[in-house]
Amino acid sequence: PVGETPEYGRYLASSTCVECHGRSLEGGTHPDPSGPPVPGLSHTSQWSFEEFATALRTGKVPGGRTVKTQFMPIRFFGHLTDSELRALRAYIATLQPGAPPTTAR
C-alpha cells in the first residue's frame, strides 16, 4: 500500500534504485561501463530528510559534492513527492550498513 513506510519505500527502490545500486542498494559496479563505481545507500539514512530530498532532487549531497547527473537520474527523482521520498528513506534506514558490495544486477 502507498504510504510513508519501509514497505512502500522498498517497492519504490525496486523500480528506481536497484538498476544501479544493486538489489540490496549495496552499490558496486555501474551498469554503464563508462560510469563511476556506485556507492551503497545505507549511509544516506544518516542524512536529515531535507538533505536526502536535496540530494535526490538536485544532486547536491551533504558536504557539498554534486553527483554526476549523467549517471544519476536527478530529473526523475525531482518528480517524487515528499511522501514518496520519506518512504524511500524509511526503507533505506532498514538496510544493514557496510554490507559488502556486489556487482550482480
Side-chain angles (χ1 to χ4, degrees):
V2 174
E4 294 181 7
T5 64
E7 294 79 18
Y8 186 57
R10 181 182 174 132
Y11 164 75
L12 292 172
S14 74
S15 62
T16 57
C17 309
V18 299
E19 182 177 338
C20 295
H21 292 278
R23 289 183 302 265
S24 299
L25 306 184
E26 70 282 352
T29 303
H30 198 285
D32 178 341
S34 66
V38 181
L41 297 180
S42 64
H43 71 283
T44 65
S45 67
Q46 302 301 311
W47 299 347
S48 70
F49 173 74
E50 291 75 20
E51 291 170 327
F52 184 77
T54 296
L56 288 176
R57 290 180 173 148
T58 70
K60 293 183 177 102
V61 299
R65 187 174 64 83
T66 301
V67 299
K68 296 179 179 182
T69 57
Q70 68 266 36
F71 300 113
M72 177 67 178
I74 297 302
R75 294 174 74 192
F76 168 79
F77 289 108
H79 297 288
L80 294 178
T81 66
D82 281 357
S83 186
E84 290 168 325
L85 290 177
R86 288 185 203 293
L88 190 55
R89 187 166 179 261
Y91 170 61
I92 290 170
T94 69
L95 302 176
Q96 294 296 320
T102 66
T103 56
R105 301 276 170 236

